[in-house]
Amino acid sequence: MIKWDYDRQEILADGIVHGLGVIGGLVGVITLLVLAAPTVGAWELTSVAIYACGLLAVLVISAVYNLWPVSPVKWVLRRFDHSAIYLLIAGTYTPFITQMRNEVAAVVLLVGIWAGSIAGMTLKLCLPGRFDRLAILLYLLIGWSGVMAYEAVLGALSGSTLWLLAAGGVLYTAGVVFHVWESLRFQNAIWHAFVLGAAACHYGAVLDCMVLTRG
């Protein structure tokens, strides 16, 4: 059994954060797909749809898991909650990789990110509750792996898109402090607020890349 001793106020605060996330995610995804459909090609639209699925999966599964009462079902949901984070990381990278002009670098980065994410998802699904600190490190390594292809990415994305991506990465990374600070009251709600802010930045980056900068 995993430690879960949040009081009513903490659960309420976390529920509000998750509710805002799910509603905002649904509205945002529909808006993104509607706006992107006339401006991008089939492969780019597919990459946006993959990102949208990953975003909604994280928001919905996280809400269900965190608000579900303590029971054996909750620990099953925990596996999917932690696995979905890898799905979001890989899904978020996918639209931007389609913009890279160096096809070899794009394929290597895409395969590497998805392979690492699938490995992480497998770890979380098959070995729940184990290697949790290692999993956090893997989240960060995969999330920042695009820095290795900085030159190829820099030439493919606008300055505004890059700033939004960087801001989201910083928020995710800073939020980890609160994720592991278990003695802090409202720690879970604060962590999820950082996640929501970071996801909003990355959503803005996808919207900027696929719609706004195309006029």
Side-chain angles (χ1 to χ4, degrees):
M1 298 293 287
I2 308 300
K3 180 181 178 183
W4 194 271
D5 56 1
Y6 302 108
D7 60 37
R8 180 175 297 181
Q9 288 76 23
E10 289 176 295
I11 294 173
L12 176 60
D14 199 32
I16 292 172
V17 173
H18 276 97
L20 291 173
V22 171
I23 294 171
L26 286 170
V27 173
V29 161
I30 293 171
T31 302
L32 177 63
L33 291 172
V34 169
L35 293 177
T39 64
V40 301
W43 167 231
E44 290 175 315
L45 186 59
T46 300
S47 71
V48 172
I50 291 171
Y51 158 72
C53 289
L55 177 61
L56 287 180
V58 162
L59 294 173
V60 173
I61 293 173
S62 179
V64 174
Y65 161 61
N66 282 278
L67 300 179
W68 197 274
V70 174
S71 66
V73 173
K74 190 177 187 70
W75 312 134
V76 175
L77 290 170
R78 184 178 189 270
R79 301 187 188 193
F80 291 95
D81 174 63
H82 290 189
S83 299
I85 298 173
Y86 290 108
L87 179 62
L88 176 60
I89 294 172
T92 301
Y93 261 107
T94 303
F96 302 110
I97 292 175
T98 65
Q99 306 304 301
M100 293 173 61
R101 299 185 181 94
N102 186 327
E103 294 184 2
V104 174
V107 170
V108 170
L109 184 59
L110 185 66
V111 171
I113 287 172
W114 275 100
S117 297
I118 290 171
M121 287 188 280
T122 302
L123 177 68
K124 282 298 183 182
L125 289 171
C126 297
L127 298 172
R130 298 177 62 184
F131 309 111
D132 282 352
R133 298 298 171 126
L134 174 62
I136 293 173
L137 179 61
L138 188 57
Y139 290 140
L140 294 174
L141 288 175
I142 298 174
W144 285 102
S145 61
V147 175
M148 294 186 295
Y150 176 75
E151 291 185 3
V153 173
L154 182 63
L157 303 177
S158 69
S160 55
T161 298
L162 289 170
W163 277 111
L164 285 166
L165 281 172
V170 170
L171 284 174
Y172 274 126
T173 304
V176 170
V177 174
F178 297 95
H179 177 59
V180 300
W181 192 353
E182 296 181 352
S183 62
L184 177 68
R185 194 159 185 252
F186 294 104
Q187 160 261 341
N188 211 31
I190 295 171
W191 154 240
H192 289 130
F194 269 87
V195 170
L196 197 57
C201 288
H202 285 171
Y203 172 84
V206 176
L207 182 66
D208 187 62
C209 178
M210 294 296 177
V211 179
L212 301 182
T213 56
R214 301 189 180 215

